[in-house]
Amino acid sequence: MTNNFLTTIRSLKLIEGCKAAQIYAFSSAGGASTSGSGDGAGKPLPPPQPRSLSVRSASVCYPHAPSTSGAFVADSPLPCGLPVAAALEPALDACLRPVDHVKALAASFRRMSSAEAEGDDLCDVFLEQHALFHALGDARLLRRALRAARVHATDPHRRVVLAAWLRYERREDEFDPMPPPLAPCTPTTPLLECPRAAVFAGESPGVDPICPCRRPPPPPPTPPSSRFRRNTSSIDQMVEDDGDVETNDLWFVIGEEEVACERSCIAALSKPLNTLLYGGFAEAQRDRIDFTRDGITPCGMRAVSAYSRHGRLDDFSTDTILELLAFSNKFCCEGLKSACDNKLATMVSGVEDALSLVDLGLEEAAHLLVAACLQAFLRELPKSLSNPDVARLLCSPDGRERLDIAGNASFALYYFLSSVAMEEDIRSNTTVMLLERLCESAERPWQKQLALHQFGCVMLERGEFKDAQGWFEDAIAEGHMYSLAGVARSKFKRGHKYSAYKMMNSIMEDYEPAGWMYQERSLYCVGKEKMADLHIATELDPTLTFPYKYRAVVFLEEDMVESAVAEISKVLGFKLVTDCLELRAWFYLALEEYEAAVRDIRAILTLDPSYMMFHGKVHGEQLIEILRGYVQQWDMADCWMQLYDRWSEVDDIGSLAVVQQMLTREPGNSSLRFRQSLLLLRHAAMRSLRFARNCSAHEHERLVYEGWILYDTGHRDEALAKAEQSIKIQRSFEAFFLKAYALGDSSLDTESSLSVVQLLEHANSCASDNLRKGQAYNNMGSIYVDCDLLDEAAECYNIALNIKHTRAHQGLARVHYLKNRKKAAYGEMSELIKVAKDSASAYEKRSEYGERDEARGDLNMATLLDPTRTYPYRYRAAVLMDESKEDEAIGELSQAIAFRADLQLLHLRAAFFDSMGDNANTLRDCEAALCLDPTHGDTLELYRKASTKSEPQS
């Protein structure tokens, strides 16, 4: 069977020469290739296209394609060879990465406090925080910083840029079909993203808390106090209310036509016109003035006359308003220009309108019009960058200069544009041009560091190593020490391996060593020294995936494939990433464990439906099809049983794989899409929820999925309304469950809590599967515990366990503990661990019920399984402080803070420093924590206390 499989897979006409971002390097005579993207599952396989990692991902880095010389093993049993350890290479982070991120966060908080106290511009401060937060990999912090920058943006240009950025980051939350980019806001559109509020002064959230799109329409304009009004059918006729024609005292002659005006009204438009009509010029004595050569048509002049009398533009055509704009610039009519600028800005409804108006806006320096056009381009990203006219304006030096003259070029603009371009295709010429504009716009040190470092990363990705080295060196000159890694990598690529090694040695001597330093240095040494560096890198920062991947491939090369699987599985226990899943699938194929390989491939396709396997040569669905004869085939009933088992075993990867297999059979099954969303993190979960909503064949289902999307985006009341609408159409488990979940997400009294229980009972009375019913009983148990109804809680948990909702062991353990049965609680959690033996959260929870030594053992295991969980570090540090081992306690917290700047960790370390009398470090940690959350009450109190202590010393 194996030979047949290999014959089949070797017969594939794999496409060579794909020039996309490389995840792994392999060895064979076949030459180099890289991973790319393709169409989704079930579609014909196209040639692989370049793909790049997202700048919004947790790792916040862009992949770098190393040299693949000699990267394939010719006699490998797999079609593209086996992975080769020597050819693996980690990516450089294309973001700001301070050597001491705690110090950098503290400094950012001080700048924010100083700007608030002195009334300076806070928008730039929050943009800097956004750049700093990228290295932390927390999407919530990134969005919070962008929101804060938008709130404090004082000019239309930056409001437009930041509102568009916020909308871009939230694009997965939109329902299909998505509304036009500049359409009026829906009831759930965040106010900070309102396109109208972004452009027009006085309609910004900081000024007016009500979205202008949601205000009632203004009353019709009051007729002017003048005897004259304009006939709405034509600006050529001016009629008097009582039917008499106005007596005019001035006529402008344009060609063969005369336009009647009132001298005083025209003179009031600007000082130059006042001088012309009342000064020492000959025109002051004339009642007819020749304007034939002044670039305005009779129709335009009649509009000037109308505006001068009534002070409004009403319903003039676009061409007429453009004439008025040119006239206002020629004669310095500021009021008229402002009115034209505002009116034209309201006429921009999309990219086509923007393209037709932007050049005129730039020529006439119409700031609002240009901002509105820019907004249309930004809200169509990344699609708009493929338009040559848009790209010419946004990417070229001339375009930037023209935007700058019109007050619509800024670092914020090119920071946003370059981020989008790098995400789409890091090697493209568009990305290079936008980074050039970013460098030109950079003024502050942090801006220069970011722009220069990102340029170096792009040049490195493009294989232009000499240029990359130059950009990294410029970034270092501006103070970005992480760019030393870029210089070292560039030298290594140019053949100067020893020089790269020395450079990394120097940074480790000058600064506190970090995991990324050892990881980078490991590239430039071999043998035991390399493995030692990678071991230290993992100790200092266990979230770095490259050391695990390298060690796993070394095990593979030593014919220890089971050890290779175990090594890469360590990462997948706490970080579900496609490249590690792909590597493990390779290992399973080498072991001929095809069931496990297919499971991982299906999980990959869930996370990224366009992912290309075998180093960018085979789409995952195609590989699954090849393996069909080597794995057991399940019908839908079998799949449901498998899903039930995987869910009960708390096997998220296995559950994702089963759901993905079911969706290949029933791609329009909204219920399956919803279950898929329950297993995924936010970004992927929202994508699945949107699919569920769009696939819904019934209105009541669609309302439920819309409700979950609204709930997950912070619109709790709207989610409740959707649940109630769904229930009115048809009672269903999911509608009642959503309503109960939304109501339960608040502090409730006993009566209200029991009403939530009643809703869950209604849910369980409706048709559903045991997977969901077990969750409902589990939630009922939690509510009963909060209401101190422990017997009722135990009954619910036992029902959940009887239908294999394994997570209910945790709730039942809590009931035992509250009944003073600590040993029984410990035993209950042990039952959960028997099933979910690799669950760090289960060990962490069991630690609450064991003795001190048992608790330490459980927390050590939790850290081993998931080093990103912070509670074990805090517990161990607290125990050490109780034992008066202050330095060890600080060291325990510092170990975690070095790779995860967590609010609770920083606050606890600040409290420890305070108890030790170390006021300087207390202040630093408090400031860093407050940079992450300026409203954290306990940290604010500690900060005030420490600040008071430091005042006499200042």
Side-chain angles (χ1 to χ4, degrees), residues 856-867:
R856 280 180 174 172
D858 281 345
L859 291 175
N860 288 339
M861 178 59 73
T863 298
L864 185 65
L865 293 171
D866 183 356

Side-chain angles (χ1 to χ4, degrees), residues 710-731:
L710 290 168
Y711 178 82
D712 288 344
T713 52
H715 300 282
R716 175 177 168 274
D717 293 338
E718 290 84 352
L720 275 172
K722 292 285 185 182
E724 289 166 356
Q725 289 176 45
S726 179
I727 291 169
K728 287 179 182 178
I729 297 173
Q730 181 171 325
R731 292 163 61 91

Side-chain angles (χ1 to χ4, degrees), residues 664-915:
T664 59
R665 293 172 177 268
E666 298 182 8
N669 190 321
S670 59
S671 175
L672 290 174
R673 290 287 181 188
F674 177 64
R675 278 163 174 73
Q676 188 182 63
S677 74
L678 300 176
L679 294 161
L680 296 167
L681 295 177
R682 189 186 186 282
H683 181 74
M686 291 301 288
R687 185 178 66 233
S688 293
L689 272 176
R690 286 185 67 194
F691 273 127
R693 185 260 186 191
N694 298 334
C695 293
S696 297
H698 305 288
E699 177 71 7
H700 69 277
E701 287 182 351
R702 184 177 62 80
L703 288 167
V704 169
Y705 302 140
E706 287 181 359
W708 279 114
I709 292 173
L710 290 168
Y711 178 82
D712 288 344
T713 52
H715 300 282
R716 175 177 168 274
D717 293 338
E718 290 84 352
L720 275 172
K722 292 285 185 182
E724 289 166 356
Q725 289 176 45
S726 179
I727 291 169
K728 287 179 182 178
I729 297 173
Q730 181 171 325
R731 292 163 61 91
S732 68
F733 176 92
E734 295 300 349
F736 280 116
F737 190 91
L738 170 61
K739 184 175 181 180
Y741 200 93
L743 284 174
D745 187 24
S746 59
S747 298
L748 300 175
D749 55 28
T750 300
E751 184 178 352
S752 300
S753 296
L754 293 178
S755 69
V756 174
V757 170
Q758 189 175 23
L759 286 171
L760 290 171
E761 289 173 344
H762 288 322
N764 277 336
S765 68
C766 300
S768 186
D769 56 77
N770 284 342
L771 297 176
R772 298 296 285 148
K773 290 192 174 187
Q775 182 65 62
Y777 279 115
N778 192 70
N779 289 7
M780 289 164 63
S782 298
I783 296 169
Y784 279 131
V785 168
D786 292 340
C787 296
D788 202 27
L789 300 172
L790 301 183
D791 291 337
E792 290 84 350
E795 182 181 355
C796 288
Y797 288 130
N798 281 315
I799 293 173
L801 288 172
N802 288 336
I803 53 178
K804 290 192 174 182
H805 187 77
T806 313
R807 293 168 176 85
H809 281 297
Q810 184 169 319
L812 194 55
R814 186 181 175 200
V815 171
H816 287 310
Y817 181 75
L818 292 173
K819 288 184 173 183
N820 293 318
R821 299 201 293 259
K822 191 175 179 180
K823 188 174 181 180
Y826 187 88
E828 197 67 43
M829 287 307 302
S830 298
E831 291 298 314
L832 175 57
I833 289 172
K834 286 179 183 177
V835 179
K837 51 184 174 295
D838 294 328
S839 171
S841 63
Y843 282 101
E844 185 177 297
K845 192 66 181 177
R846 190 175 72 170
S847 72
E848 299 177 19
Y849 310 131
E851 301 302 325
R852 175 169 285 195
D853 289 342
E854 292 174 323
R856 280 180 174 172
D858 281 345
L859 291 175
N860 288 339
M861 178 59 73
T863 298
L864 185 65
L865 293 171
D866 183 356
T868 64
R869 302 184 73 88
T870 62
Y871 173 73
Y873 297 97
R874 289 186 279 130
Y875 177 90
R876 289 189 291 263
V879 170
L880 289 168
M881 283 297 284
D882 287 344
E883 296 172 351
S884 299
K885 298 177 180 178
E886 297 173 340
D887 292 339
E888 290 90 335
I890 295 294
E892 181 70 28
L893 294 175
S894 299
Q895 178 187 354
I897 290 170
F899 64 87
R900 185 171 182 186
D902 176 77
L903 173 65
Q904 297 293 339
L905 291 171
L906 287 166
H907 171 75
L908 185 59
R909 192 171 73 170
F912 286 178
F913 278 130
D914 182 63
S915 68

Side-chain angles (χ1 to χ4, degrees), residues 508-535:
M508 294 166 73
E509 291 170 359
D510 296 339
Y511 297 94
E512 184 73 22
W516 64 265
M517 297 179 188
Y518 282 95
Q519 174 178 274
E520 189 66 27
R521 192 177 72 172
S522 72
L523 299 177
Y524 317 128
C525 50
V526 295
K528 292 182 178 179
E529 187 178 0
K530 187 183 192 80
M531 296 302 290
D533 274 357
L534 289 174
H535 179 72

Side-chain angles (χ1 to χ4, degrees), residues 67-90:
S67 171
T68 53
S69 175
F72 290 96
V73 177
D75 59 353
S76 170
L78 293 176
C80 295
L82 288 169
V84 177
L88 292 176
E89 188 174 296

